[in-house]
Amino acid sequence: MAGPGSRAEFVRRPGTAPRSLTVTPADRRKAARAAALAVGECAHAAGLPPSGGELRLTGDVPVGLGMGSSTSDVIAALRAVGASYGVRMAPETVARLAVRAETASDPLMLDDGRPVLFAQREGRVLEVLGPALPPLVVVGCTLGGGAPVDTLSLPTADVDDSDVRAWERLRGLLRRAVATGDAALVGEVATASARRGQLILRHAEFETLCSVARRSGAVGVQIAHSGAVAGVLFDPAATGLRHRVRRCLHGLRAHGIPTTRTFTTSPTIPAKELLDGPAHRRGDRPAGPDTARRPARMPALRNDEGGLRARRGTPPARHGGGTAR
């Protein structure tokens, strides 16, 4: 999902002790650990003495919903420290340091967009499933009223041979779905995965979510493995897509499930065009700097800072510091 992200700026203080690091906001402890690890790695690579510095973080990823806010902060911090030393770390190095900083990491450091099976506690790719997921339309929502989930307090599931066989079956189905571009099969795998996740998460609205998805002609549902953010998945090639999506939105709201934003997984298929039809170009007035902006049709998840403008990437270091998104 394009939009939400984290931005970090790191300013080195040469001559200070490597552990003399300050971070703003002060509660971003995982990002602070990541910065300390990156200082040692990047200083060695650059042939410079390690030093302390100041890390500043900003962003608009909601916390505690399973959207990867901590990993976004950690990766931004790692890239910022690297930029301040003039070092661009390989994704494999970023993954290794991210796991050390936060125990388990999302694969956000992988920029090529390919779907992978990622060992989150090891920081390595086990399998590249294919070039891209089939295009999907996602109606986003939050369960539990959007309350954050304390993932560290969640119980650990007991795993036996039957679980391993079930996961391997889902892995095979997902591999086939990616190879054949089968959106319905992706939805089947996502729903099965979400259902197994309920053994830990136990969202009260899960069955309601599945029921709304079935009645609106969706291919399945997805739920964050460590939070409350969810989505209803549609095949963009399905007939009557706009009617299906609107029926889904109505059904979710009727059951008190807050909706967030509707988006597509394909950058070449804008959600607005799918839901509103293709734009009419004849007679359109070119947008100028004073053209009024129309409000978005779908509300978006926001934190107190608002906005959905942060983008990923690593611009060059400036004024002895570094930034990363």
Side-chain angles (χ1 to χ4, degrees):
M1 182 177 65
S6 296
R7 178 185 175 92
E9 181 177 352
F10 181 76
V11 179
R12 288 192 291 123
R13 304 297 185 202
T16 61
R19 293 191 175 275
S20 179
L21 291 170
T22 60
V23 58
T24 305
D27 63 346
R28 307 296 172 88
R29 292 184 293 275
K30 294 178 181 178
R33 287 198 295 270
L37 292 169
V39 164
E41 185 88 16
C42 296
H44 176 76
L48 297 172
S51 62
E54 180 183 356
L55 176 68
R56 293 189 292 272
L57 291 159
T58 56
D60 52 12
V61 184
V63 176
L65 296 182
M67 293 184 70
S69 60
S70 61
T71 296
S72 295
D73 284 350
V74 163
I75 294 176
L78 291 170
R79 289 177 173 172
V81 172
S84 74
Y85 280 93
V87 173
R88 186 176 182 88
M89 290 180 282
E92 296 79 9
T93 302
V94 174
R96 172 173 55 83
L97 296 179
V99 169
R100 288 181 62 188
E102 59 171 343
T103 305
S105 171
D106 293 319
L108 301 180
M109 71 293 297
L110 306 178
D111 290 330
D112 61 10
R114 294 182 298 173
V116 299
L117 183 65
F118 186 75
Q120 292 175 302
R121 293 181 181 273
E122 299 177 18
R124 64 188 181 97
V125 174
L126 301 179
E127 179 185 355
V128 177
L129 296 167
L133 286 172
L136 295 164
V137 172
V138 184
V139 175
C141 60
T142 55
L143 306 180
V149 174
D150 182 5
T151 55
L152 295 180
S153 68
L154 294 175
T156 301
D158 293 326
V159 177
D160 57 25
D161 289 343
S162 65
D163 293 309
V164 175
R165 288 192 295 270
W167 289 326
E168 187 58 33
R169 174 181 173 274
L170 292 179
R171 178 182 178 181
L173 290 176
L174 184 57
R175 189 186 295 122
R176 177 153 58 92
V178 172
T180 60
D182 191 334
L185 195 52
V186 171
E188 178 184 335
V189 173
T191 303
S193 177
R195 187 172 294 280
R196 295 185 71 84
Q198 293 313 297
L199 298 174
I200 300 294
L201 296 171
R202 301 186 183 281
H203 293 300
E205 310 99 324
F206 178 71
E207 293 301 336
T208 299
L209 180 71
C210 292
S211 176
V212 170
R214 287 192 299 270
R215 290 198 302 269
S216 40
V219 296
V221 302
Q222 65 87 23
I223 296 179
H225 71 277
S226 61
V229 70
V232 182
L233 310 177
F234 291 87
D235 183 349
T239 59
L241 177 64
R242 280 176 282 173
H243 173 74
R244 294 173 190 244
V245 168
R246 286 167 182 156
R247 185 173 184 179
C248 174
L249 289 166
H250 176 76
L252 293 173
R253 291 164 183 164
H255 286 91
I257 298 177
T259 58
T260 53
R261 64 186 296 189
T262 298
F263 61 97
T264 70
T265 63
S266 172
T268 62
I269 307 177
K272 182 174 178 58
E273 182 168 319
L274 281 170
L275 301 179
D276 296 341
H280 297 285
R281 300 185 182 277
R282 183 181 302 173
D284 283 353
R285 179 171 63 89
D290 299 322
T291 303
R293 296 193 178 197
R294 297 169 63 184
R297 291 175 57 86
M298 304 296 177
L301 283 170
R302 298 170 183 268
N303 64 6
D304 291 339
E305 292 175 333
L308 288 169
R309 297 198 172 118
R311 299 182 185 273
R312 290 166 60 193
T314 309
R318 296 189 294 270
H319 308 300
T323 60
R325 299 183 182 123

